């Protein structure tokens, strides 16, 4: 099949447009730090401007940045279709946009959750702030419309099923004893014992400063492992003690994977080639963790009362994190610190089945 000329490929033009949009957004971020007119006059600051660009990109988590960029593109496209200008920011126009998004859901289009609409509003507000034209999300044209959308369309937050310790053991038993199975055993056990997000699992390195895209590292000691993680709420240390059995101990499983996979530097969890079974040098994506949890949970027969489609949606990377929070019979403050939650209320949302009916007000009232 002949190679396609990029100049004739319409998708390349679209990619170029998006790259230009991203470059414009980055330039806006930098100008907020140092005006472009001054950069033009002061040549020695050119290198420092590149450094400032790097810090500006790092101001948001990578996933948040992608989501905000997509939110702005969708909003800009809606404005163009209706012949509206993006600047200056108009609260009434933003309120109309939110109403249009919610109305599409009510007419049978793909449902847009209230949480997604709230995130889109955050992305729009963030972009306007970078332009130096703040948008007040508390303006009545926005706040009142959003309150009405919440009242009419809000649903309980969709949560992944929590996986408990006995269920995790059944999932571990479903994996083969080859290199891929040993790696996946370590992922599941470490993710559960650490209460880690899937991005935190794959973001681990063998040591500090070993890769540019790493978000943490491990230190294995006699009593267990210490994980230094840069998560949503900043840096935290997670202690993972050794278990009672090597075949289920997260630290022992991790040591086995590192030894047999010859992992001594750089990303901790990596892909394995299907042809020769060799370990690659790059990092696993967080999607692997979600697929791994789904696959092993289904093979282990967890929640067999659900249909196959329902079970697939019920489990994901967060199932490990929720499982630890729901299983650990320790003080709430310890769980909150371990999971890196900013508030105790968020921790309580994770402790789903653990505390149900522990306090029975019906009996306490005399019934």
């Amino acid at each position: 099949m002949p190679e396609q000329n990029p100049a004739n490929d319409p998708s390349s033009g679209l990619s170029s447009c998006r790259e230009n949009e991203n470059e414009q957004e980055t330039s806006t971020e930098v100008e907020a730090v140092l005006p472009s007119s001054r950069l033009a006059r002061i040549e020695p600051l050119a290198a420092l401007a590149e450094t400032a660009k790097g810090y500006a990109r790092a101001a948001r988590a990578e996933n948040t940045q992608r989501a905000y960029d997509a939110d702005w593109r969708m909003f800009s496209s809606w404005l163009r279709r209706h012949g509206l200008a993006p600047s200056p920011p108009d609260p009434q126009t933003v309120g109309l946009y939110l109403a249009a998004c919610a109305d599409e859901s009510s007419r049978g289009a793909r449902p847009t959750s209230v949480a997604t609409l709230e995130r889109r509003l955050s992305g729009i507000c963030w972009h306007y702030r970078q332009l130096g034209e703040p948008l007040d999300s508390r303006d009545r044209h926005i706040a009142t419309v959003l309150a009405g959308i919440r009242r009419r369309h809000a649903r309980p937050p969709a949560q992944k099923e929590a996986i408990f310790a006995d269920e995790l053991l059944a999932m571990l038993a479903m994996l083969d004893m080859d290199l891929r199975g040993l790696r996946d055993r370590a992922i599941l056990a470490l993710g559960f014992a650490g209460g880690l997000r899937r991005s935190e699992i794959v973001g681990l390195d063998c040591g500090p400063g070993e890769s540019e895209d790493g978000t943490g590292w491990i230190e294995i000691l006699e009593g267990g492992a210490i994980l230094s993680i840069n998560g949503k709420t900043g840096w935290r240390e997670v202690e993972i003690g050794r278990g009672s059995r090597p075949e289920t101990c997260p630290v022992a499983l991790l040591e086995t994977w590192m030894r047999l996979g010859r992992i001594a530097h750089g990303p901790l969890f990596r892909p394995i080639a299907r042809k020769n079974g060799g370990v690659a040098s790059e990092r696993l994506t967080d999607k692997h963790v979600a697929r791994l949890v789904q696959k092993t949970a289904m093979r282990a027969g967890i929640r067999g009362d659900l249909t196959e489609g329902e079970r697939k949606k019920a489990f994901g990377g967060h199932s490990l994190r929720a499982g630890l929070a729901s299983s650990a019979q320790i003080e709430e403050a310890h769980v909150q610190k371990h999971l890196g939650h900013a508030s105790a209320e968020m921790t309580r949302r994770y402790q789903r089945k653990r505390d149900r009916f522990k306090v029975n007000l019906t009996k306490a009232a005399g019934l």
Side-chain angles (χ1 to χ4, degrees):
M1 181 176 179
E3 293 185 0
Q4 188 174 12
N5 187 350
N8 299 327
D9 184 2
S11 64
S12 65
L14 180 59
S15 300
S16 300
C17 291
R18 289 178 177 170
E19 289 174 2
N20 291 336
E21 288 179 6
N22 292 338
E23 285 297 325
Q24 289 173 354
E25 291 182 8
T26 303
S27 299
T28 303
E29 294 169 358
V30 175
E31 287 175 3
V33 180
L34 191 64
S36 58
S37 58
R38 292 184 61 191
L39 287 177
R41 294 196 301 267
I42 308 174
E43 187 64 29
L45 292 181
L48 189 57
E50 292 302 315
T51 303
K53 285 182 182 181
Y55 283 126
R57 294 188 195 100
R60 296 171 291 174
E62 185 177 347
N63 288 341
T64 303
Q65 180 173 338
R66 283 198 297 265
Y68 279 6
D69 291 344
D71 294 335
W72 180 254
R73 287 195 297 270
M74 292 180 67
F75 179 57
S76 299
S77 176
W78 183 85
L79 291 175
R80 286 194 297 270
R81 291 199 306 270
H82 291 82
L84 300 171
S87 186
D90 180 13
Q92 189 171 7
T93 298
V94 175
L96 291 174
Y97 171 69
L98 296 176
C101 292
D103 190 51
E104 286 178 1
S105 300
S106 64
R107 289 193 308 231
R110 184 178 180 181
T112 303
S113 68
V114 174
T116 299
L117 290 180
E118 291 172 340
R119 205 236 25 250
R120 287 182 185 175
L121 176 60
S122 297
I124 293 169
C125 290
W126 186 91
H127 185 87
Y128 275 125
R129 283 198 302 272
Q130 307 314 304
L131 295 175
E133 301 177 326
L135 173 68
D136 185 6
S137 61
R138 295 170 297 180
D139 183 280
R140 64 185 180 87
H141 292 100
I142 297 175
T144 306
V145 170
L146 193 56
I149 292 173
R150 288 194 191 104
R151 186 175 181 85
R152 182 174 296 181
H153 298 293
R155 300 183 300 275
Q159 295 180 320
K160 296 297 183 182
E161 286 278 341
I163 289 174
F164 294 87
D166 58 334
E167 295 171 330
L168 179 70
L169 295 179
M171 291 165 60
L172 294 177
M174 296 296 106
L175 295 169
D176 297 328
M177 292 302 294
D178 57 5
L179 196 56
R180 181 176 284 103
L182 293 173
R183 178 202 62 190
D184 290 344
R185 273 185 167 82
I187 288 175
L188 292 176
L190 194 73
F192 179 89
L196 306 179
R197 300 176 178 91
R198 62 185 190 180
S199 59
E200 294 173 345
I201 297 173
V202 299
L204 288 171
D205 285 340
C206 297
E210 293 185 348
S211 67
E212 293 184 359
D213 59 344
T215 57
W217 66 86
I218 63 161
E219 182 182 4
I220 299 180
L221 306 174
E222 184 178 351
I226 303 293
L227 277 58
S228 299
I229 297 174
N230 188 9
K232 284 186 175 182
T233 56
W235 284 97
R236 75 182 193 277
E237 274 194 356
V238 177
E239 295 182 9
I240 299 181
R242 293 186 182 274
S244 56
R245 293 179 295 164
E247 61 269 23
T248 60
C249 169
V251 181
L253 291 172
L254 180 60
E255 289 174 321
T256 301
W257 155 246
M258 294 179 68
R259 184 178 69 255
L260 298 181
R262 298 181 181 179
I263 310 295
H265 188 275
L268 184 60
F269 295 114
R270 311 175 184 189
I272 297 174
R274 294 189 178 277
K275 290 185 177 179
N276 57 15
V279 178
S281 59
E282 67 268 18
R283 189 182 308 278
L284 270 180
T285 68
D286 62 347
K287 291 181 180 179
H288 174 82
V289 179
R291 290 192 294 262
L292 173 63
V293 173
Q294 290 172 350
K295 179 183 69 175
T296 52
M298 294 181 71
R299 288 181 60 187
I302 301 174
R303 288 304 309 271
D305 56 309
L306 301 177
T307 66
E308 183 173 340
E310 291 172 335
R311 290 170 68 199
K312 191 171 183 179
K313 292 180 180 179
F315 297 105
H318 246 60
S319 296
L320 301 174
R321 186 169 166 84
L324 178 77
S326 302
S327 303
Q329 298 295 326
I330 58 175
E331 292 183 15
E332 182 182 272
H334 293 301
V335 179
Q336 180 181 345
K337 179 183 177 183
H338 196 79
L339 299 183
H341 283 154
S343 68
E345 180 60 33
M346 178 59 71
T347 303
R348 294 187 193 109
R349 287 174 57 185
Y350 275 70
Q351 293 172 326
R352 296 166 190 173
K353 298 180 181 179
R354 193 194 73 172
D355 297 330
R356 284 180 180 172
F357 308 116
K358 182 176 289 187
V359 177
N360 190 330
L361 294 181
T362 305
K363 288 184 178 179
L367 298 180

